[in-house]
């Protein structure tokens, strides 16, 4: 059943909020009518009673751990949590086991997505020091982008050979998304921390070990290389104020170099390590209040183009390890939109800005075909939210396989009520219909 008449919604789209009825037929948005729609045959009707309807969010950075690390997360759980959180399309990272370093392995991931994803999906092709030829065979129309770790994180996928990097930046024929942290700086800082604290390094040291300087060195190098070669570069998870000068405000259409901010860098600060400890240990690290506030401003005023999650779950047991053995990353897809809407309630962003950065901008940036907007002719990926229905994140309402969230105990004012995926009602009131399957995202390139 993928035909619906959604009555009395407040459509939040392209900078405006308008009362309308929305007709969805055979998975596509057929009409958005401010004057209302009388009767429509062969559709299910739903009266939204004035609630807000958003385009499904597009998350350009998730780690769903399949294949090889499915004890942490898998595509079925990750995508279910995503749609429950209003994210209808995800782009997944290559640091799985095996790593996504060949076209054959990449296509195997797409087969896994087709088999078990309840959200629309795309998977990045991974770069290594030795696979540039294989990377260059990636199909720009059916794959979101290329991913290179210029600083090692989970999965040891560091690309640090200067000739490889130069060739990758020179010849990349689609978006090159990078993790930018300078490895020698991190190693040096880590050695100093071990000398000082032994094997009992406090979590609060994370932003000094994975330092602002390490971010700056790596991202400024990458931007210089991209300028030299004209690379279409996308710098992921900006975590410091200083890096912001590398990016320019202005329309996406004019940019060759873009940037992403993640929800945890917009929400937490180093003051939170005391209480949350390993639960907010991410790479790059959550840094100072000044950094967080500068990133918020950059999102608002356009230096940063998109907001994503870097959803990267690990088990509770892994997170209980001491600093050096404790992996970085945490689950986020279920709470990213509620958290951004909370920032709206706090006056940080407007509702239209949240939709711009989580729905429209990722669609534009990646040239996603027919998604990311509430427009006639687009796929009906739609999210109904109640902006005033407070709820608290507890273990009971988590859909993550890992069973924890850095937001546990957090009260959010806004709630995702329903999610439609290609016109199918895939999520209602925290329950996901596991029989729905997403589609492979296509790119207009
Ligand atoms: O904290 C992180 N964890 N950052 C990354 O870039 C990778 C991720 C992971 O895969 O665990």
């Amino acid at each position: 059943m993928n035909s619906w008449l959604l009555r009395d919604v407040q459509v939040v789209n392209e900078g405006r909020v308008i009362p309308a009825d929305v007709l969805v037929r055979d998975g596509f948005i057929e009409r958005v009518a401010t004057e209302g729609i009388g009767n429509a045959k062969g559709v299910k009707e739903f009266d939204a009673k004035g609630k807000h309807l958003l385009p499904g969010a597009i998350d350009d950075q998730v780690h769903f751990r399949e294949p090889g690390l499915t004890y942490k997360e898998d595509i079925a759980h990750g995508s279910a949590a995503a749609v429950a959180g209003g994210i209808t399309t995800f782009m997944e990272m290559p640091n799985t086991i095996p790593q996504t370093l060949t076209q054959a392995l990449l296509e195997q991931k797409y087969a896994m997505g087709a088999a078990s994803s309840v959200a629309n999906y795309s998977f990045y092709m991974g770069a290594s020091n030795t696979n540039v030829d294989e990377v260059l065979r990636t199909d720009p129309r059916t794959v979101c982008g290329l991913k290179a770790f210029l600083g090692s994180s989970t999965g040891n996928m560091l690309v640090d050979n200067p000739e490889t990097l130069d060739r990758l930046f020179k010849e990349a024929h689609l978006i090159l998304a990078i993790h930018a942290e300078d490895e020698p700086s991190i190693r040096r800082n880590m050695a100093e921390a071990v000398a000082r604290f032994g094997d009992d390094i406090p979590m609060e040291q994370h932003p000094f070990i994975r330092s602002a300087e390490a971010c700056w060195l790596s991202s400024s190098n990458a931007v210089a290389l991209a300028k030299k070669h004209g690379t279409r570069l996308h710098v992921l998870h900006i975590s410091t104020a200083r890096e912001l000068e590398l990016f320019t405000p202005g329309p996406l259409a004019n940019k060759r170099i873009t940037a992403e901010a993640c929800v945890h860098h917009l929400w937490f600060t180093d003051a939170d390590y005391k209480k949350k400890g390993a639960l907010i240990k991410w790479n790059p690290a959550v840094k100072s209040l000044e950094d967080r506030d500068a990133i918020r401003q950059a999102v608002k005023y356009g230096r940063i183009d998109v907001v994503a999650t870097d959803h990267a779950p690990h088990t509770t047991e892994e997170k209980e390890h001491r600093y050096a053995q404790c992996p970085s990353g945490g689950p986020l897809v279920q709470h990213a939109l509620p958290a951004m809407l909370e920032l709206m309630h706090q006056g940080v962003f407007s509702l239209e800005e949240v939709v711009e950065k989580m729905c429209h901008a990722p669609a534009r940036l990646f040239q996603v075909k027919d998604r990311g907007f509430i427009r006639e002719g687009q796929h009906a990926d739609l999210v109904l939210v109640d902006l005033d229905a407070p709820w608290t994140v507890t273990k009971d309402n988590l859909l993550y396989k890992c069973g924890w969230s850095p937001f546990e105990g957090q009260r959010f004012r806004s709630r995702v009520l329903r999610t439609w995926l290609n016109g199918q009602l895939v999520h209602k009131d925290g329950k996901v219909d596991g029989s729905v399957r997403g589609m492979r995202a296509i790119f207009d390139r």
Side-chain angles (χ1 to χ4, degrees):
M1 189 64 197
N2 56 2
S3 298
W4 289 83
L5 176 53
L6 309 181
R7 289 198 188 280
D8 189 15
V9 290
Q10 300 283 330
V11 171
V12 188
N13 190 60
E14 293 171 270
R16 296 197 305 162
V17 182
I18 49 167
D21 289 353
V22 175
L23 181 64
V24 171
R25 206 181 287 278
D26 299 329
F28 288 89
I29 299 168
E30 187 173 287
R31 266 182 79 199
V32 180
T34 48
E35 70 281 13
I37 295 174
N39 283 326
K41 285 213 173 77
V43 300
K44 264 195 176 173
E45 286 203 26
F46 173 68
D47 183 354
K49 300 197 169 74
K51 301 286 189 290
H52 289 80
L53 192 71
L54 281 48
I58 299 174
D59 188 345
D60 76 355
Q61 191 186 180
V62 306
H63 302 262
F64 282 168
R65 310 299 194 200
E66 190 172 341
L69 295 163
T70 52
Y71 68 95
K72 296 177 196 269
E73 181 74 291
D74 52 40
I75 294 171
H77 281 86
S79 61
V83 293
I87 293 166
T88 49
T89 300
F90 65 82
M91 303 181 193
E92 208 268 349
M93 287 296 166
N95 57 337
T96 44
I97 298 177
Q99 297 165 343
T100 319
L101 294 176
T102 67
Q103 295 299 326
L105 288 165
L106 181 60
E107 283 311 314
Q108 282 173 26
K109 266 197 167 177
Y110 280 98
M112 290 171 204
S116 65
S117 180
V118 296
N120 304 314
Y121 50 87
S122 195
F123 296 92
Y124 284 87
M125 176 67 184
S128 74
N129 274 328
T130 54
N131 77 337
V132 179
D133 288 329
E134 191 73 7
V135 164
L136 297 178
R137 292 179 49 225
T138 306
D139 178 4
R141 273 190 58 78
T142 59
V143 177
C144 51
L146 313 175
K147 168 70 186 286
F149 284 86
L150 308 191
S152 67
S153 194
T154 304
N156 289 323
M157 288 189 73
L158 186 63
V159 184
D160 60 354
N161 179 322
E163 287 95 64
T164 304
L165 280 174
D166 204 66
R167 187 166 169 226
L168 192 60
F169 275 67
K170 187 168 175 199
E171 296 185 31
H173 59 309
L174 68 162
I175 293 174
L176 176 62
I178 59 157
H179 179 128
E181 287 187 285
D182 180 61
E183 195 65 20
S185 306
I186 296 168
R187 292 217 178 111
R188 206 169 42 245
N189 296 339
M190 185 66 189
E192 279 173 20
V194 170
R196 189 168 157 208
F197 299 103
D199 64 358
D200 202 13
I201 302 171
M203 282 302 161
E204 289 92 320
Q205 288 299 309
H206 193 48
F208 301 107
I209 296 168
R210 293 242 168 201
S211 64
E213 180 70 11
C215 294
W216 167 257
L217 284 174
S218 182
S219 46
S220 58
N221 266 334
V223 166
L225 205 51
K227 283 187 173 158
K228 175 177 158 200
H229 291 303
T231 319
R232 177 62 194 87
L233 181 70
H234 185 46
V235 185
L236 300 169
H237 41 44
I238 295 300
S239 66
T240 68
R242 188 173 173 200
E243 288 167 288
L244 296 169
E245 71 182 63
L246 298 168
F247 309 101
T248 47
L252 263 171
N254 303 338
K255 294 188 188 184
R256 293 292 292 167
I257 297 172
T258 53
E260 175 215 70
C262 288
V263 169
H264 46 290
H265 294 124
L266 291 166
W267 185 278
F268 297 109
T269 71
D270 52 9
D272 296 310
Y273 285 109
K274 255 202 167 47
K275 193 157 162 232
K276 301 268 177 193
L279 304 187
I280 61 160
K281 183 185 190 229
W282 255 279
N283 298 339
V286 167
K287 297 190 176 71
S288 70
L289 181 64
E290 293 72 32
D291 290 310
R292 185 195 72 179
D293 288 350
I295 297 165
R296 287 179 174 186
Q297 293 299 303
V299 166
K300 208 170 166 66
Y301 297 110
R303 262 180 214 276
I304 291 186
D305 304 285
V306 296
V307 169
T309 66
D310 192 9
H311 171 94
H314 299 283
T315 64
T316 304
E317 195 197 349
E318 289 170 320
K319 281 293 201 179
E320 280 166 358
H321 290 150
R322 287 180 171 196
Y323 178 83
Q325 287 76 41
C326 171
S328 293
L332 260 181
V333 284
Q334 195 181 343
H335 305 110
L337 182 59
M340 288 296 285
L341 294 174
E342 197 63 23
L343 294 181
M344 174 203 78
H345 284 297
Q346 292 173 17
V348 177
F349 301 116
S350 68
L351 182 56
E352 293 86 343
E353 285 164 349
V354 172
V355 166
E356 177 60 36
K357 295 296 176 175
M358 297 187 78
C359 314
H360 303 332
R364 287 198 187 97
L365 193 151
F366 284 86
Q367 296 157 281
V368 180
K369 186 169 161 49
D370 299 335
R371 301 188 189 278
F373 300 86
I374 303 184
R375 283 184 192 155
E376 294 170 4
Q378 289 236 331
H379 292 282
D381 294 339
L382 300 167
V383 177
L384 191 74
V385 298
D386 188 335
L387 298 179
D388 198 9
W391 63 291
T392 300
V393 179
T394 61
K395 282 223 183 292
D396 297 344
N397 52 37
L398 297 178
L399 296 177
Y400 306 131
K401 191 166 184 182
C402 66
W404 64 272
S405 159
F407 283 115
E408 274 170 67
Q410 175 67 44
R411 188 168 178 272
F412 287 126
R413 283 259 305 262
S414 308
R415 193 190 287 253
V416 178
L417 300 173
R418 290 178 176 227
T419 310
W420 286 266
L421 187 83
N422 306 306
Q424 283 187 279
L425 183 65
V426 64
H427 155 251
K428 182 179 162 189
D429 301 329
K431 299 267 178 303
V432 173
D433 179 350
S435 70
V436 172
R437 287 293 169 271
M439 293 167 67
R440 180 170 183 161
I442 301 297
F443 303 89
D444 265 328
R445 303 167 170 149

